[in-house]
Amino acid sequence: MNVMIEQVWQDFLKIIKEEVGIRVVETWIKAVSLSRYDSLERKVYLSAPNMFVKNWVETHYKQLFVTHLKRLLSIDDIKIVFCIGSICSAESELVQNVTSQAVSVSSAPDQSKNQKYQLVKKMPSMHANATMSKLNPSYTFDMFVVGENNSFAYASARAVTQKLGKLYNPLLLYGGSGLGKTHLLHAIGNEILEKYPDAVVLYQTTDKFVTEFIHAIRFDQIAKFQAKYKKIDVLLLDDIQFMVNKEQTQEAFFHIFNALYESNKQIVLSSDTLPRNLGGLVDRLKSRLEWGLIADVQVPMLETKIAILKRKAEMQRELLSQDVALFIAHQPVKSVRELEGSLIRVLAYASLTNQVVTIDLVKKVLGQTSDIQAKSASLIDFGAIIDHINKHFSYGIVDLRSKDRSKGVSHARQVAMYLMKKYTGKSLREIGEYLDRKDHTTITHAIHRIKELSHQDPQFAQKLRNIEQSLG
Ligand code: ADP
Ligand code: MG
């Protein structure tokens, strides 16, 4: 894809995220890619991994493509051609023959799925307050799978509900997109309302906050706006990175923050960037945001991904076998949201075609290339870890495999073992074999030691984070 088209595609994704929500984008729209634009014929070729995704996207979202791509490409008429891999249909005819797995897609089964989901999901926040608080009742602590990647954020969020306004104020949840920040904000709200049904809890996205503020300015209702926020007991403000460069809004928020803080009201925020790295945020607000506790969420490890998949499937009364969960978890995804998207596609397909979820079915739904990609791209291999160890500690594979127990080598070896367990999905035995260690307990010990060290020694913790980040 050339640069211009790539940019159009990125802009398109941004716009429709607003329009249909991030969930649809992650589940369906990103399952297809813009493979080619023929400017003479004014045809946009979209490639889907299989018939199922193609039909679904075509049935539900074709008009979106037409409307927005027309505008983004500045043309009046446009033809959207859906392809499966590189096999493309003529504009209107369906390629039913390409695969015998053709599925006709209607929205009905989707709805029945939703109903099922509605029945199963827990409704903890049936208090009158819940609606006003704008809380999603299915985002609870119970539904949140805790792993190494998020245990600190989870524990901090739980702690906040035990001692409102006193322990960590503000609590700032920080991390990449789709890793559970919004879920945790809602979970805090739901738990608080369960305990204190009369508490005034408000979940608000920063986008809405900004819009509300602009509206207040326009209609001369600043006092009312301020008053609304100042009477809140628990403010859950999501994605504060969107306040960047909006100085007046920051100013208004600064006053609300101070008022709430001074009366010991709890403030919980989320951001995809650390406050200190948010250019376009005034310093005094930055410093306020760092007054309390900052807890990060990271990409989950394999086992946590599996647990999440199983929990999400259970919510829809589906059972995933270990094999299938493992297979889906091995897909190269960057966030839990994407992982969930894959699962939703698989379950939708299984339900529409009345099939049991097997690995073959998953392969079909997640695309022709996914299993090859999964093998090569999702997993970081031993070699990559050895390269990084070499770069950061200056010891190579020969040192790591040797019997040398001097401090430097041992330490580097332990870091290698820790990273291998965390990122490669290989067993202790395989790691042992690779590093010439017969006894697995050496590896268990190393993992334990590295975890301990990263808690005790902030400098080492930072170094480890750097290595992990560069591992990708
Ligand atoms: P963020 O706000 O960080 O972008 P979200 O909180 O919206 O991410 O999470 C995206 C999706 O992933 C949600 O459906 C959420 O329920 C799910 N999710 C993320 N982390 C977990 C987890 N640890 N356990 C269960 N579901 C999770
Ligand atoms: Mg979010």
Side-chain angles (χ1 to χ4, degrees):
M1 215 185 337
N2 69 32
V3 179
M4 193 274 271
I5 290 296
E6 173 67 38
Q7 188 56 47
V8 166
W9 183 242
Q10 292 310 324
D11 291 346
F12 171 74
L13 291 177
K14 226 182 267 166
I15 293 169
I16 56 162
K17 214 181 265 175
E18 295 289 312
E19 195 164 328
V20 294
I22 194 161
R23 217 164 249 280
V24 169
V25 173
E26 294 290 344
T27 309
W28 299 110
I29 312 292
K30 281 197 179 169
V32 303
S33 57
L34 198 167
S35 60
R36 192 156 67 84
Y37 171 53
D38 182 334
S39 55
L40 280 179
E41 299 239 14
R42 300 184 171 170
K43 278 185 180 166
V44 171
Y45 292 82
L46 295 173
S47 166
N50 53 51
M51 176 62 101
F52 169 63
V53 170
K54 171 192 170 291
N55 281 356
W56 187 292
V57 173
E58 196 169 20
T59 316
H60 291 85
Y61 307 113
K62 185 169 178 185
Q63 198 48 46
L64 271 182
F65 285 96
V66 173
T67 313
H68 295 296
L69 289 177
K70 243 168 43 181
R71 209 163 41 78
L72 289 168
L73 291 163
S74 311
I75 46 178
D76 300 333
D77 60 328
I78 193 170
K79 292 195 186 72
I80 307 283
V81 184
F82 281 90
C83 315
I84 295 169
S86 55
I87 305 169
C88 302
S89 57
E91 203 228 334
S92 54
E93 61 185 57
L94 287 177
V95 269
Q96 297 287 5
N97 308 332
V98 172
T99 154
S100 55
Q101 284 298 329
V103 186
S104 78
V105 176
S106 76
S107 49
D110 193 29
Q111 274 162 11
S112 67
K113 265 257 133 82
N114 280 342
Q115 271 165 11
K116 200 155 127 190
Y117 169 81
Q118 293 281 346
L119 287 177
V120 188
K121 74 181 174 192
K122 280 182 114 184
M123 290 285 191
S125 326
M126 295 310 278
H127 321 282
N129 253 346
T131 331
M132 274 164 50
S133 303
K134 299 205 256 174
L135 292 171
N136 177 341
S138 59
Y139 284 166
T140 60
F141 282 124
D142 278 353
M143 282 298 155
F144 193 81
V145 175
V146 185
E148 257 178 70
N149 60 308
N150 58 26
S151 58
F152 185 51
Y154 172 84
S156 318
R158 276 231 112 122
V160 154
T161 66
Q162 317 276 334
K163 272 202 157 111
L164 282 184
K166 303 223 169 65
L167 204 52
Y168 308 127
N169 209 12
L171 169 65
L172 176 76
L173 302 174
Y174 147 74
S177 167
L179 297 180
K181 302 183 296 297
T182 297
H183 187 135
L184 282 175
L185 288 185
H186 284 275
I188 292 175
N190 283 322
E191 175 108 344
I192 291 174
L193 280 186
E194 183 122 307
K195 275 199 194 142
Y196 313 101
D198 296 329
V200 183
V201 176
L202 180 69
Y203 167 85
Q204 186 69 296
T205 63
T206 298
D207 263 347
K208 283 266 166 54
F209 183 84
V210 173
T211 318
E212 228 185 323
F213 176 66
I214 293 171
H215 185 272
I217 293 186
R218 244 182 92 190
F219 296 98
D220 215 8
Q221 293 173 344
I222 297 287
K224 197 173 145 201
F225 172 83
Q226 295 274 359
K228 167 183 165 182
Y229 280 92
K230 287 181 183 169
K231 70 169 205 287
I232 288 170
D233 297 317
V234 180
L235 175 62
L236 309 163
L237 191 62
D238 208 355
D239 290 320
I240 52 155
Q241 72 273 10
F242 293 131
M243 226 184 264
V244 156
N245 293 332
K246 305 198 169 86
E247 271 160 38
Q248 271 184 297
T249 313
Q250 288 178 31
E251 175 78 23
F253 177 61
F254 182 75
H255 289 294
I256 291 167
F257 184 102
N258 288 343
L260 293 178
Y261 185 86
E262 273 154 25
S263 38
N264 286 327
K265 302 299 174 61
Q266 181 67 49
I267 304 162
V268 189
L269 311 152
S270 85
S271 175
D272 70 353
T273 311
L274 279 173
R276 79 176 87 104
N277 297 335
L278 278 174
L281 200 66
V282 295
D283 284 345
R284 54 187 186 154
L285 194 51
K286 270 188 203 170
S287 81
R288 291 283 188 289
L289 299 181
E290 291 181 350
W291 269 358
L293 180 73
I294 299 183
D296 66 334
V297 286
Q298 306 258 349
V299 179
M301 289 166 58
L302 195 65
E303 285 113 66
T304 312
K305 282 186 185 164
I306 294 173
I308 291 173
L309 286 168
K310 288 190 165 173
R311 183 81 57 93
K312 298 276 171 184
E314 262 167 37
M315 272 174 76
Q316 304 198 29
R317 297 230 166 118
E318 305 281 352
L319 261 187
L320 285 190
S321 69
Q322 180 69 14
D323 282 2
V324 168
L326 186 70
F327 187 84
I328 303 177
H330 267 310
Q331 301 298 307
V333 293
K334 289 190 228 58
S335 74
V336 178
R337 192 181 285 116
E338 272 181 66
L339 190 70
E340 248 189 298
S342 306
L343 178 70
I344 292 171
R345 289 204 295 281
V346 167
L347 295 182
Y349 181 82
S351 146
L352 282 168
T353 55
N354 244 331
Q355 294 185 64
V356 182
V357 180
T358 59
I359 291 192
D360 278 346
L361 179 138
V362 175
K363 278 187 192 163
K364 229 173 261 161
V365 177
L366 298 185
Q368 296 138 338
T369 51
S370 64
D371 52 345
I372 307 160
Q373 274 173 7
K375 283 203 186 79
S376 60
S378 81
L379 292 180
I380 294 163
D381 62 13
F382 287 153
I385 290 177
I386 298 294
D387 287 346
H388 280 81
I389 294 289
N390 201 345
K391 208 162 87 200
H392 287 88
F393 298 92
S394 310
Y395 291 109
I397 181 68
V398 177
D399 305 308
L400 299 181
R401 278 190 182 143
S402 73
K403 300 278 172 252
D404 186 347
R405 286 174 182 239
S406 56
K407 214 171 155 201
V409 188
S410 293
H411 177 65
R413 190 180 294 125
Q414 288 182 333
V415 175
M417 290 172 172
Y418 170 85
L419 294 174
M420 285 173 174
K421 183 72 191 100
K422 186 161 176 182
Y423 290 102
T424 64
K426 296 278 201 253
S427 65
L428 293 177
R429 213 188 72 201
E430 286 167 305
I431 298 172
E433 271 167 14
Y434 187 81
L435 290 175
D436 233 357
R437 294 293 181 283
K438 285 202 184 66
D439 186 1
H440 318 159
T441 55
T442 320
I443 303 163
T444 330
H445 172 74
I447 295 168
H448 184 70
R449 177 75 197 116
I450 293 302
K451 278 188 197 162
E452 206 174 55
L453 203 60
S454 68
H455 282 122
Q456 292 160 353
D457 177 352
Q459 227 173 342
F460 172 69
Q462 185 57 44
K463 182 168 183 174
L464 192 61
R465 254 198 304 274
N466 290 345
I467 303 177
E468 293 187 48
Q469 261 159 17
S470 58
L471 265 173

